[in-house]
């Protein structure tokens, strides 16, 4: 990617005075303003904005300066713009991690990033765990959905073996949530480890070769103000993903084969039942940890309504990306390794900044207060948003809704939007009504197999009981092809840079859509509400007021 002068990009963002006199209904959004933000954030000098890097710190200062210039109120640490978060970063040591399967036929060993991917446990820098195995189907448990994969199984002190994903026919967002919490369920039943193996469906969505590409990435978790690293399931000492050779070794002597289990799981409603396996595993791994600091950037636009200003709407976007890809043997010396993250998520931050500008310059300020959050650590597991949702700038009970902007694909003139999570709360109707005057429709999740509902920052607000959606450009009008090509090419790759054919008019249009959505949330007489009897509303906000669907 061609370098550009950072100061030149910053100066390009000076907004003409003529644009300050906008109406609240029809603010002006320009392609040039969106492009200028992305040019700065995706510049090579920021080196991919990795969590804890100097490039991310520069990006955070840039966003803070934009907030400052708009006259917003700082809401970070000690009245500053930055909410600094300490992260624990853990990597494998020099000795390769191994998984050894022992059964009647002897022992077979597998090395990390070959036919197994061993998980990192920062709490045990010299991990050495041996335990018998129990297959637990999908490893799910939920009375409401009739799931009880642990029924009749004794897994205390053992390592469970689970299928990735969730049964076909289960609602995708509920299934995604349950799939993301398998570790906590296993821990609750006394398991000390978890192995996962692919289904026919999951292996199509994430082939083993794709999983191995990211096998050596460091593990991150946030550290509490008291100095304690966060771990959702500390009782699980060991984990690993298995490819076919390792899975077949684990199921040696089992009453049914992997192929039969996968065939059953591939049917609608297929739920293979669990059973004790005749093998055990030993997992060994050496790791090293260090602490790094990386900030969220937080600003508030106070509301104008005396009765509603103490309610807050959060507009969020992640600022971090994945940094520089290490060189591989045989790579040419001049190969580009910088993952600039122009669309993921420079475009999301640019959208948020333009919405903030329009809000701040409107003569008719929103009734509720708006929190603008540029989060860190999203690429490491939604960590910055999780930390903010647990340590918010205002009491979390005063946060009434969240819209998250992550990787808007500004490569085609979108005519529909996808609001992941829209079916669970009044945010769905709010979003649909807000963008209707633009001729934009709301479409359902077109790729449920990707479990996107649990893979972006809004999910961390959902877990704190806040109605939330993740906004993305839709599949209509060429969107499906554009998404397929991007996810199979530039996504998490140096190709996500300014050399792409980005449609900046689409960027301005996406900013307008999100302005309308955020404004509708802020100005409505009633705040966003979970629908009555909704899975997530009942699970995370059982006592909150509910709306009729």
């Amino acid at each position: 990617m061609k370098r550009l002068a950072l100061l030149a990009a910053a100066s390009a963002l000076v907004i003409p005075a003529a644009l300050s006199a906008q109406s609240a209904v029809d603010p002006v959004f320009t392609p040039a303003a969106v492009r200028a933000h992305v040019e700065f954030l995706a510049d090579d000098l920021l080196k991919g904005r990795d969590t804890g890097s100097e490039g991310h710190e520069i990006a955070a200062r840039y966003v803070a300066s934009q907030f400052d210039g708009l006259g917003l109120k700082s809401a970070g640490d000690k009245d500053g713009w930055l909410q600094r978060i300490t992260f624990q970063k853990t990597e494998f040591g020099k000795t390769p991690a191994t998984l050894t399967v022992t059964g009647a036929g002897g022992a077979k060993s597998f090395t990390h990033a070959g036919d197994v991917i061993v998980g990192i446990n920062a709490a045990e820098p010299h991990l050495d765990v041996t335990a018998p195995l129990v297959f637990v189907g999908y490893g799910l448990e939920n009375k409401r959905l009739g799931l009880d994969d642990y029924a009749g199984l004794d897994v205390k002190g053992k390592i469970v073996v689970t299928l990735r994903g969730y049964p076909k026919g289960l609602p995708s967002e509920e299934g995604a949530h349950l799939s993301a919490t398998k570790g906590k369920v296993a821990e609750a039943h006394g398991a000390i480890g978890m192995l996962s193996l692919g289904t026919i469906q999951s292996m199509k969505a994430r082939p083993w070769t794709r999983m191995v590409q990211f096998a050596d990435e460091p593990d991150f978790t946030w550290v509490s103000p008291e100095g304690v690293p966060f771990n959702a399931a500390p009782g699980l000492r060991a984990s690993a993903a298995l490819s076919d050779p390792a899975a077949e070794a684990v199921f040696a002597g089992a009453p049914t084969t992997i192929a039969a289990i996968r065939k059953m799981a591939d049917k609608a409603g297929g739920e293979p039942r669990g059973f004790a396996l005749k093998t055990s595993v030993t997992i060994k791994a050496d790791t090293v940890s260090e602490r790094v600091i990386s900030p969220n950037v937080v600003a508030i636009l106070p509301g104008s309504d005396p009765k509603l200003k103490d309610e807050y709407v959060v507009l969020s976007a992640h600022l971090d990306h994945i940094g520089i890809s290490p060189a591989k043997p045989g790579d040419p010396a001049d190969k580009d390794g910088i993952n600039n993250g122009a669309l993921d998520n420079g475009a999301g931050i640019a959208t948020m900044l333009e919405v903030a500008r329009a809000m701040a310059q409107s003569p008719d300020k929103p009734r509720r207060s708006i929190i603008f959050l540029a989060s860190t650590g999203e690429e490491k597991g939604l960590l910055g948003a999780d930390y903010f949702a647990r340590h918010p700038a205002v009491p979390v009970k005063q946060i009434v809704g969240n819209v998250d902007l992550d990787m808007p694909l500004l490569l085609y003139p979108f005519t529909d939007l996808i609001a992941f999570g829209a079916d669970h709360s009044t945010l769905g109707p709010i979003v649909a009504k807000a963008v209707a005057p633009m001729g934009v429709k709301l479409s359902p999740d077109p790729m449920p197999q990707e479990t996107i509902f649990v893979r972006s920052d809004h999910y961390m607000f959902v877990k704190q009981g806040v109605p939330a959606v993740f906004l993305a450009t839709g599949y209509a009008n060429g969107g499906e092809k554009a998404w397929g090509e991007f996810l199979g090419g530039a996504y998490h790759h140096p190709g996500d840079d300014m050399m792409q054919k980005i449609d900046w008019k689409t960027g301005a249009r996406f900013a307008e859509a999100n302005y309308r959505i955020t404004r509708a949330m802020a100005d409505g007489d009633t705040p966003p509400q979970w629908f009555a009897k909704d899975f997530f509303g009942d699970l995370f906000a059982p006592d909150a007021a509910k709306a009729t669907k």
Side-chain angles (χ1 to χ4, degrees):
M1 173 182 170
K2 185 178 179 180
R3 292 179 180 270
L4 55 87
L6 296 180
L7 290 178
S11 65
L13 295 174
V14 176
I15 306 300
L19 294 184
S20 63
Q22 302 168 25
S23 71
V25 177
D26 192 23
V28 175
F29 296 93
T30 68
V34 176
R35 183 184 66 243
H37 291 306
V38 179
E39 280 179 335
F40 187 100
L41 297 171
D43 189 85
D44 277 0
L45 292 177
L46 272 65
K47 298 180 180 179
R49 309 189 306 276
D50 199 6
T51 301
S53 70
E54 182 181 35
H56 180 272
E57 185 75 20
I58 292 170
R61 303 294 181 90
Y62 173 83
V63 172
S65 72
Q66 297 298 307
F67 287 157
D68 196 9
L70 294 172
L72 302 182
K73 177 184 176 183
S74 61
D77 299 332
K78 299 178 181 179
D79 297 323
W81 300 102
L82 307 182
Q83 181 188 41
R84 294 204 171 275
I85 306 171
T86 299
F87 292 96
Q88 180 168 273
K89 175 183 177 182
T90 307
E91 300 178 271
F92 285 112
K94 294 181 179 180
T95 303
T98 60
L99 183 150
T100 301
V101 182
T102 302
K108 292 183 179 180
S109 290
F110 302 92
T111 302
H112 169 74
D115 287 316
V116 298
I117 299 173
V118 177
I120 287 175
N121 182 357
E124 295 191 45
H126 303 290
L127 180 70
D128 188 345
V129 175
T130 300
L133 300 173
V134 180
F135 175 60
V136 294
Y138 281 100
L140 303 178
E141 186 176 67
N142 186 271
K143 290 183 180 180
R144 179 171 182 155
L145 297 175
L147 300 170
D148 191 7
D149 288 345
Y150 284 84
L153 299 176
D154 176 16
V155 303
K156 189 173 183 179
K158 300 174 184 178
I159 293 175
V160 298
V161 181
T162 73
L163 296 170
R164 287 204 295 276
Y166 53 87
K168 280 188 172 182
L170 201 66
S172 64
E173 293 178 348
E174 287 85 339
H177 164 74
L178 294 174
S179 185
T181 56
K182 289 182 183 182
K184 293 180 68 174
V185 174
E187 179 190 45
H189 284 276
I192 62 168
M194 185 167 70
L195 309 181
S196 67
L197 57 140
T199 61
I200 294 172
Q201 185 176 5
S202 72
M203 290 188 295
K204 287 179 181 177
R206 288 184 183 82
W208 184 255
T209 53
R210 179 178 167 189
M211 294 175 64
V212 169
Q213 288 177 358
F214 305 102
D216 290 323
E217 287 191 348
D219 178 77
F220 278 73
T221 189
W222 55 261
V223 178
S224 73
E226 295 74 31
V228 180
F230 175 73
N231 187 341
L236 288 187
R237 298 176 58 198
S239 63
L242 311 177
S243 70
D244 282 354
E248 289 169 1
V250 162
F251 277 78
T256 187
T257 65
I258 291 293
I261 289 171
R262 284 175 171 155
K263 185 176 180 179
M264 179 184 295
D266 203 45
K267 297 178 181 179
E271 298 178 36
R273 306 311 302 171
F275 50 84
L277 292 163
K278 298 182 179 181
T279 51
S280 64
V281 298
T282 298
I283 300 177
K284 295 182 179 181
D286 291 335
T287 57
V288 291
S289 297
E290 62 177 317
R291 298 286 173 93
V292 298
I293 296 175
S294 188
N296 289 331
V297 190
V298 194
I300 293 176
L301 176 65
S304 61
D305 190 313
K307 295 182 179 180
L308 299 180
K309 67 179 182 180
D310 290 332
E311 295 180 358
Y312 294 80
V313 170
V314 177
L315 185 64
S316 60
H318 76 88
L319 181 59
D320 64 303
H321 196 50
I322 61 173
I324 301 175
S325 297
K328 297 178 181 179
D331 283 350
D334 60 349
K335 183 177 179 180
D336 182 12
I338 298 176
N339 297 285
N340 304 87
L343 295 177
D344 184 16
N345 187 38
I349 290 289
T351 302
M352 182 186 69
L353 289 175
E354 283 303 288
V355 172
R357 176 191 59 76
M359 292 279 190
Q361 294 178 349
S362 172
D364 182 16
K365 296 295 187 291
R367 298 174 69 193
R368 289 183 178 83
S369 298
I370 312 292
I371 295 176
F372 297 100
L373 170 66
S375 65
T376 187
E378 191 271 351
E379 301 287 5
K380 310 303 182 186
L382 319 181
L383 297 179
D386 188 29
Y387 187 89
F388 179 85
R390 295 169 186 265
H391 306 85
V394 300
V396 71
K397 290 184 178 180
Q398 293 176 227
I399 298 177
V400 299
N402 165 241
V403 171
D404 186 56
L405 310 173
D406 187 358
M407 203 167 74
L409 216 59
L410 309 181
L411 299 173
Y412 61 100
F414 69 90
T415 58
D416 67 326
L417 290 174
I418 304 162
F420 297 94
D423 292 339
H424 303 292
S425 73
T426 57
L427 276 178
I430 289 171
V431 170
K433 184 178 179 180
V435 299
M438 299 176 63
V440 175
K441 296 181 179 180
L442 202 60
S443 296
D445 182 356
M447 39 187 161
Q449 74 280 1
E450 292 288 341
T451 63
I452 287 177
F453 183 69
V454 302
R455 291 173 55 195
S456 200
D457 283 343
H458 70 288
Y459 179 54
M460 296 307 175
F461 287 92
V462 168
K463 293 202 294 184
Q464 299 304 318
V466 177
V469 293
F470 157 39
L471 260 292
T473 48
Y475 263 30
N477 200 39
E480 182 174 6
K481 180 181 178 182
W483 273 104
E485 291 177 349
F486 181 81
L487 292 176
Y491 174 66
H492 279 198
H493 185 273
D496 183 12
D497 61 11
M498 294 298 290
M499 300 301 290
Q500 299 172 96
K501 294 182 179 180
I502 298 175
D503 183 344
W504 298 111
K505 289 183 179 179
T506 290
R509 182 170 166 81
F510 189 70
E512 179 187 348
N514 280 281
Y515 174 86
R516 289 175 178 270
I517 292 166
T518 307
R519 189 87 204 200
M521 293 168 63
D523 288 346
D525 291 336
T526 302
Q529 293 180 333
W530 295 104
F531 285 130
K533 298 182 180 180
D534 177 75
F535 178 89
F536 293 98
D538 289 350
L539 180 62
F540 294 118
D543 299 325
K546 304 295 196 301
T548 301
K549 191 169 185 177

